[in-house]
Amino acid sequence: MDEQVFFKKLNSLCTSTEVFDFVSSLEVMSDTMASGALQRISEVEVDDSGLKNPEGVLENEVFRALCFQFEFKSSKLSNSGLLNALQALTKLRIDPQSTLMASLLSEGEERLGKGQLTVKNLCALGESLLELEGPSCATLEQIVNHMQEKDIEKWSPREMVMVYKMLQVTVREGEQYQDLLNRMNSVTLTIVSQLSPKFTSVILNSLVVLHQTRAVPLVTALCKHSVKHIPYFTGNELVNVLEAFLYFGHREQIFTEALETHVPKSIFTMHPQTVSKVMQYCCRKMILSKPIFDAVAEGFISDADIFTTDQIAEYIIPFGTLNYLPPSASSLFRKLETVLHTRFSHFKPHTLLNLLHSCVLIQHYPVNFLPKIFSPYFLQQLQAQPPGLDRIVTSQLTQLFLTVALECPFYEGPKLLRKYQVKAFLTPHSSLDVHLLKRVKTGLLYLLKKRIYFASEVSTPYFYTVDIEIKLDEEGFVLPAAQCEEVHRRIALCVDGQNRFCVNSHNLLGEEAIKQRHLQLLGYEVVQIPFFEIESLQNCTKMAEYLHKKIFPHTYELSC
């Protein structure tokens, strides 16, 4: 039978029985056709869990006859027949120590040493070796060295992907094979539009593992190309893509929009680890996507009992970080409390602290669990495990303690000992926008005439730092900032730059929202000065007018 006709017929068959019947009907068959039959069997009979019908395949007479031919005539096989058969038998989980596999591997490596293999052959051998022997296989480096001599521009997308995968496990030093990688990155850029979801994901993952931070044009093109594949990525493939976005610091609005379409439709079929990675991506990029967060909340309420403790934390923490309560918030936190009661002791100490701290950011108070958090035993556990009781951890503990004091007066359990309390909170996401602060201070100077009437970056006894503080006496007159007597009112100006808000949003981050809430409870009059209200003010006069209306809305009009 003509090979073209053979392969057309072969690819239409859907079971191993059909393949065996078809092969049995042929009197003569080339080794390429025979290896093609083995490959088709591996395609229809192998899934993620392995070989679906081991006995029906491995004990079949036709299969055994094919294997016999490959084992004892390996030296007479064509390169394609040899290496396609090796690939197929590897996928079928044939024992790597068997004489059949040893014979094929030995012949393949001998031809490699003689330089007889084409790019396609080299990739087939590399794929089999990766599967059979793993990253430690020394022959992979030999294959990569041969690939360096080939014309990269003639490689197919599949061959390009295979070389990236081999490089992932063979590169041991920083600049090793970097020249090859530079050439591959340049050529891959020209074929991005041809890449399937799987190939897109594999290459992005390789670029992360190989630290290709200088391949910016390729990374950007792959990230944009990945948008159209979102509905078709497997869970692991989407995780690889999201990790690449995070590693390279990339963000695409259209990628977020595609996730917003995909996640709500698929939330009950997505693997929890994939959803966790989506939430990590949103949290790290400060993307408050209500469609995603609302869907994730529903998924948590439905399936949290089967999640790992890390997945539980990864689902919930972004709600606190980005200061968002979904419509199902009451059911969400009821479910979380149930899970915590059942599995409290299973959580790692730092994971548990991060989780409970994120809850108080959005006014959900884990009072039933705080006695355990403030106990000496739990604090010793925190100290014993990395990162120990560092500044971030002690800031979280102190903020939990302050939250209980200010917002849960009914709490009567143990308190946090002073030695664990920080003097000032660390706010990693909400640092002060110095440029914006300077503009506000200039406007205040214009308004109040003298610099002595306000202070900036003021430390308080309550762990928070106030951006700008103004003191008033009982009659509403502004007092010098240094004066401590006769202070009747304290005004805290919160100069909120873009970094204190979710991306493309006017939604404050959780750590800034709790700060402003606590300052109010501590007696301050909090006045928010958000960047989006003042970025269009062109001069000092406009800024002074704005500040006058915000800080002193009930006093006389400003006369400049």
Side-chain angles (χ1 to χ4, degrees):
M1 181 182 283
D2 175 71
E3 282 199 3
Q4 199 171 352
V5 176
F6 171 84
F7 280 106
K8 186 175 180 182
K9 170 71 174 171
L10 182 67
N11 290 330
S12 69
L13 304 178
C14 300
T15 67
S16 58
T17 305
E18 289 177 352
V19 176
F20 291 137
D21 289 344
F22 175 50
V23 169
S24 301
S25 70
L26 302 174
E27 289 184 17
V28 181
M29 193 167 47
S30 69
D31 65 353
T32 310
M33 293 159 74
S35 65
L38 289 177
Q39 284 197 309
R40 187 60 186 160
I41 293 165
S42 73
E43 287 166 4
V44 298
E45 290 293 344
V46 177
D47 58 20
D48 291 341
S49 56
L51 190 55
K52 290 186 272 189
N53 179 18
E55 199 171 310
V57 173
L58 304 182
E59 299 300 321
N60 183 278
E61 287 182 14
V62 177
F63 180 78
R64 291 164 74 93
L66 286 170
C67 290
F68 182 86
Q69 293 293 322
F70 281 109
E71 181 176 344
F72 292 102
K73 295 186 179 179
S74 61
S75 62
K76 296 186 172 68
L77 298 172
S78 67
N79 287 341
S80 295
L82 172 74
L83 296 166
N84 289 348
L86 179 62
Q87 268 188 310
L89 294 168
T90 302
K91 286 179 189 169
L92 288 165
R93 312 287 200 273
I94 303 301
D95 181 6
Q97 307 302 319
S98 66
T99 52
L100 166 63
M101 296 298 278
S103 174
L104 294 176
L105 276 171
S106 172
E107 184 64 29
E109 289 176 358
E110 187 178 328
R111 296 185 193 188
L112 170 68
K114 292 176 181 176
Q116 296 174 350
L117 303 183
T118 65
V119 169
K120 189 174 183 180
N121 300 153
L122 289 165
C123 288
L125 180 59
E127 187 172 4
S128 298
L129 288 169
L130 265 176
E131 186 68 32
L132 291 169
E133 300 184 28
S136 60
C137 175
T139 312
L140 289 171
E141 196 161 343
Q142 199 179 340
I143 294 173
V144 172
N145 288 335
H146 279 283
M147 294 299 289
Q148 284 196 101
E149 300 162 11
K150 307 293 184 181
D151 185 353
I152 295 175
E153 294 189 3
K154 292 180 180 175
W155 295 1
S156 70
R158 178 178 292 280
E159 289 157 0
M160 190 72 79
V161 166
M162 198 59 238
V163 180
Y164 272 117
K165 286 174 79 172
M166 286 190 282
L167 282 168
Q168 269 186 246
V169 298
T170 54
V171 172
R172 294 181 186 85
E173 301 160 21
E175 295 298 311
Q176 190 185 16
Y177 296 118
Q178 190 56 54
D179 179 59
L180 173 61
L181 276 164
N182 290 343
R183 290 186 288 135
M184 286 172 61
N185 294 342
S186 297
V187 175
T188 303
L189 183 58
T190 67
I191 61 166
V192 165
S193 62
Q194 302 171 37
L195 297 176
S196 66
K198 180 180 180 179
F199 289 174
T200 304
S201 171
V202 169
I203 293 176
L204 276 171
N205 180 242
S206 296
L207 295 174
V208 171
V209 173
L210 295 164
H211 309 297
Q212 295 299 289
T213 51
R214 285 173 287 183
V216 175
L218 176 57
V219 170
T220 304
L222 286 167
C223 288
K224 287 182 176 176
H225 180 64
S226 68
V227 172
K228 72 176 186 181
H229 290 321
I230 282 180
Y232 312 107
F233 284 127
T234 65
N236 286 337
E237 287 166 1
L238 183 55
V239 166
N240 283 343
V241 172
L242 289 164
E243 283 178 343
F245 269 79
L246 290 169
Y247 179 80
F248 292 109
H250 200 75
R251 188 175 67 231
E252 286 282 345
Q253 181 60 29
I254 53 172
F255 183 82
T256 304
E257 289 166 4
L259 282 176
E260 287 177 339
T261 302
H262 174 66
V263 173
K265 286 194 298 191
S266 313
I267 190 66
F268 296 110
T269 55
M270 291 174 76
H271 192 282
Q273 198 55 42
T274 310
V275 180
S276 294
K277 188 58 68 173
V278 170
M279 291 301 274
Q280 185 189 358
Y281 168 76
C282 290
C283 194
R284 292 256 297 274
K285 297 290 183 184
M286 303 299 169
I287 298 168
L288 174 56
S289 166
K290 293 181 181 179
I292 292 174
F293 277 51
D294 292 349
V296 168
E298 295 296 338
F300 186 91
I301 293 163
S302 171
D303 299 326
D305 295 320
I306 63 168
F307 295 171
T308 66
T309 52
D310 282 346
Q311 287 164 356
I312 289 165
E314 286 158 358
Y315 268 62
I316 297 296
I317 288 171
F319 286 93
T321 304
L322 303 189
N323 184 32
Y324 178 65
L325 286 171
S328 59
S330 57
S331 300
L332 176 68
F333 286 97
R334 235 186 350 262
K335 183 68 176 182
L336 176 61
E337 185 159 6
T338 303
V339 170
L340 283 170
H341 272 298
T342 310
R343 300 167 66 186
F344 187 89
S345 62
H346 299 168
F347 282 83
K348 294 178 215 156
H350 289 281
T351 303
L352 189 61
L353 178 61
N354 286 332
L355 176 58
L356 298 183
H357 177 258
S358 72
C359 292
V360 302
L361 297 180
I362 41 178
Q363 296 178 273
H364 279 266
Y365 311 109
V367 286
N368 293 330
F369 307 102
L370 288 178
K372 293 179 181 177
I373 296 296
F374 294 148
S375 72
Y377 174 71
F378 184 80
L379 295 169
Q380 284 168 8
Q381 283 186 304
L382 281 175
Q383 193 158 18
Q385 296 179 18
L389 289 171
D390 67 5
R391 181 87 184 279
I392 292 175
V393 172
T394 47
S395 284
Q396 289 177 322
L397 286 167
T398 308
Q399 199 159 43
L400 274 173
F401 164 70
L402 183 61
T403 300
V404 168
L406 294 175
E407 302 185 63
C408 308
F410 50 86
Y411 173 76
E412 295 179 351
K415 304 290 194 289
L416 183 67
L417 296 176
R418 185 170 292 279
K419 68 177 181 177
Y420 296 112
Q421 296 174 24
V422 292
K423 291 179 180 170
F425 288 132
L426 195 65
T427 51
H429 302 301
S430 303
S431 56
L432 189 55
D433 184 328
V434 179
H435 175 69
L436 202 64
L437 179 69
K438 187 177 178 182
R439 288 189 62 204
V440 173
K441 284 162 69 174
T442 303
L444 273 177
L445 186 59
Y446 195 91
L447 174 67
L448 301 176
K449 308 306 180 195
K450 289 185 179 179
R451 181 65 182 82
I452 62 167
Y453 290 120
F454 63 92
S456 59
E457 300 180 74
V458 180
S459 297
T460 70
Y462 314 109
F463 318 109
Y464 290 109
T465 300
V466 175
D467 297 337
I468 294 177
E469 183 182 57
I470 298 172
K471 297 174 180 177
L472 305 179
D473 67 12
E474 196 168 356
E475 295 178 22
F477 290 106
V478 179
L479 297 170
Q483 185 170 324
C484 297
E485 299 82 27
E486 299 179 2
V487 178
H488 188 67
R489 291 164 57 201
R490 292 174 186 266
I491 298 174
L493 267 60
C494 295
V495 183
D496 295 330
Q498 267 183 295
N499 61 319
R500 291 184 178 177
F501 293 87
C502 301
V503 167
N504 300 327
S505 164
H506 294 172
N507 195 79
L508 272 178
L509 295 176
E511 64 186 31
E512 186 59 25
I514 195 174
K515 171 186 170 180
Q516 296 184 17
R517 193 166 78 237
H518 282 177
L519 287 174
Q520 279 186 313
L521 291 168
L522 289 163
Y524 285 89
E525 292 177 32
V526 174
V527 177
Q528 191 186 7
I529 311 292
F531 75 95
F532 50 83
E533 288 184 0
I534 60 176
E535 58 189 355
S536 61
L537 302 178
Q538 301 299 322
N539 54 47
C540 274
T541 308
K542 295 281 187 191
M543 179 67 84
E545 288 173 357
Y546 165 83
L547 291 170
H548 181 263
K549 287 174 185 171
K550 289 285 285 195
I551 304 168
F552 308 111
H554 306 300
T555 59
Y556 58 87
E557 287 299 313
L558 180 66
S559 55
C560 299

